[in-house]
Amino acid sequence: MSDSDLLREDRPRPLSAGPREWLGLAVLALPTLLLAMDVTVLYLAVPHLTADLRPTGIEQLWIADIYGFMIAGFLITMGTVGDRVGRRKLLMLGASAFGGASVLAAFATEPLLLIIARALLGIAGATLMPSTLALISNMFRDAGQRATAIGVWATCMSAGMAAGPIIGGLMLESFWWGSVFLLAVPVMALLLVTAPVLLPEYRDPAAGRIDLPSVSMSLFTILPVIYGIKKLAEHGPSVGSAAALVIGGCFGLLFVRRQAALTDPLLDLRMFGNPTFRAALLILLLALGTVGGIYLFITQYLQLVRGLSPLSAGLWLLPPAGALIVASTLTPIIARRVEPRFLIAGALAVATLGYLTLAFVDAVGGLPLLVSGFTLVYIGISPLMVLGTDLIIGTAPPEKAGAAAAISETSMEFGVATGIAVLGVLGTAIYRADIAAAPIPTMPVEAREAAADSLAAADAAAAELAPQLGETVLIAARAAFTDGLTVAALVCAAITAALAVVAAGLLRPTVASEGSTDASLP
């Protein structure tokens, strides 16, 4: 960091943000938008890259999963690194790495090279996510302006999720599969050009050296847990998934003990002493878990029950995504008149209504009902993403903003993964029970076993049967899957209803730390 940067940090900053900060927010919107798009475009490209690179089943799983593993594993580490070396510096290093890894992925000629590129993209993504939120926290000291800025950040995430399937589908119709990765290159180039001009540098001048054993422990905590959760979702309870969860839990205990003993820990556990911080994290984790789990059902319903193409399914999901964007934009405005805890509680009640609507979707005529219900869910979750994130960032002292942002992002990652696992296992159990009880005529053992495994397998098995028998199998499988969706939606409704009560009672107004380094610590 230059002397001028250090002097700028030491001078008192005006509470109200000026034009430079708002232009800087536009710069920070670029990686946020891109990372949200990157989550969805790969799934559209998988059939194309599979036909070209011919990966094995295991390699295909690693191509899809390694990105999320690396992001989740490195978020806490990178958030703390940014607090120490400088958040703008880490953002620019991550942008450079993300652009380079994107080129490597686009022109990969074999599965292993693509897996390596996806791993590098995940590590680079872990530097971008907490850096953007931490810089927003530092640039916008006024609580109202910070809420608006985080609303813009959440809106960009929503827009990226909405645009990903559309842009990815259009590119795959005109170019080869690697083109979806090249979307990142001009975005990251623009970020690298504008960041030095519009983004100030921030770091904790009193931070010590990074504790490498703590970094290792955090990785050995998060990676096995995420792996175990994913395997639980894919194959149900097994020795492998249980062993991964136990290993991650043991390393987690060691990590917590080490952080409590260090004078300059990788993760300052004192942040968890703030009740608002704890409650916001818990609500984010569980609420995002319901969204992640139900999204899995909805995408499968659109493509496997209703038979839509990925692009058509993406178009049907535009109304919920548009509602999410509008709600994210309006949340900071409404929060000026309504106390955040009551706004979040009311929004979660709307999400509960959305989940109850989804519970009435059937296998034949449920598409309008599904879109309406999911729109209500997104409207209800949006204020939580904006204000919950703001509460977490706002309760942390400025020099710990990177760590707080990383904890918030990690909570959301864990929430989505856990929701997919738990609701996925529940839906699978209901599906298999329904198929076992369905009055399906005699058919080959292999086809019956495939139909009992999953809706996708039933769809493939039905194609090999006589037309009338295949149609009977498909009708039973689609009805069984929809029953699973119904039960999952009711579970989500119960969770969000309980979270609404928790939010109203525990999300007390935050006391933002303007200059003190321990305002939120006991």
Side-chain angles (χ1 to χ4, degrees), residues 149-199:
I150 292 179
V152 172
W153 173 85
T155 299
C156 289
M157 288 192 66
S158 308
M161 292 170 60
I166 308 303
I167 295 176
L170 291 173
M171 293 192 69
L172 289 170
E173 288 184 0
S174 304
F175 306 102
W176 91 113
W177 60 265
S179 63
V180 299
F181 293 106
L182 293 181
L183 285 170
V185 176
V187 173
M188 294 305 166
L190 183 60
L191 173 63
L192 290 172
V193 171
T194 55
V197 179
L198 296 175
L199 298 180

Side-chain angles (χ1 to χ4, degrees), residues 331-383:
T331 292
I333 300 173
I334 300 173
R336 296 171 188 169
R337 298 181 178 273
V338 181
E339 190 174 327
R341 59 176 172 144
F342 296 126
L343 177 53
I344 291 174
L348 287 171
V350 173
T352 301
L353 179 60
Y355 285 124
L356 291 175
T357 303
L358 291 174
F360 288 94
V361 170
D362 59 59
V364 181
L367 193 52
L369 199 62
L370 179 133
V371 173
S372 300
F374 198 45
T375 298
L376 289 175
V377 169
Y378 264 4
I379 291 173
I381 293 298
S382 177

Side-chain angles (χ1 to χ4, degrees), residues 61-247:
L61 286 175
W62 278 111
I63 289 171
D65 290 344
I66 193 66
Y67 177 76
F69 284 168
M70 293 297 102
I71 281 187
F74 280 91
L75 271 173
I76 290 178
T77 297
M78 292 304 180
T80 307
V81 168
D83 290 339
R84 285 166 164 77
V85 305
R87 291 154 195 167
R88 185 183 68 186
K89 179 186 293 185
L90 183 66
L91 180 70
M92 295 180 67
L93 288 173
S96 301
F98 200 95
S102 296
V103 174
L104 182 63
F107 295 100
T109 54
E110 59 182 43
L112 179 59
L113 188 59
L114 182 56
I115 292 170
I116 293 172
R118 290 279 293 166
L120 293 175
L121 282 170
I123 296 173
T127 69
L128 299 174
M129 295 169 75
S131 295
T132 56
L133 269 178
L135 282 166
I136 287 173
S137 173
N138 292 126
M139 292 161 59
F140 299 91
R141 301 296 182 88
D142 175 76
Q145 289 187 326
R146 185 178 65 240
T148 300
I150 292 179
V152 172
W153 173 85
T155 299
C156 289
M157 288 192 66
S158 308
M161 292 170 60
I166 308 303
I167 295 176
L170 291 173
M171 293 192 69
L172 289 170
E173 288 184 0
S174 304
F175 306 102
W176 91 113
W177 60 265
S179 63
V180 299
F181 293 106
L182 293 181
L183 285 170
V185 176
V187 173
M188 294 305 166
L190 183 60
L191 173 63
L192 290 172
V193 171
T194 55
V197 179
L198 296 175
L199 298 180
E201 181 63 285
Y202 293 95
R203 68 175 176 85
D204 180 4
R209 299 178 62 182
I210 296 173
D211 182 56
L212 294 181
S214 294
V215 172
S216 300
M217 288 180 185
S218 72
L219 292 176
F220 281 108
T221 296
I222 295 172
L223 292 179
V225 169
I226 291 289
Y227 177 84
I229 291 173
K230 280 184 170 289
K231 291 306 169 187
L232 183 66
E234 292 169 3
H235 308 294
S238 66
V239 174
S241 61
L245 293 172
V246 169
I247 291 171

Side-chain angles (χ1 to χ4, degrees), residues 258-265 270:
R258 184 169 182 84
Q259 303 317 294
L262 292 174
T263 55
D264 191 18
R270 292 178 297 169

Side-chain angles (χ1 to χ4, degrees), residues 435 441-453 457 461 465 469:
I435 287 293
T442 302
M443 61 180 180
V445 176
E446 296 82 2
R448 178 171 289 277
E449 290 177 349
D453 182 62
L465 300 174
L469 179 57

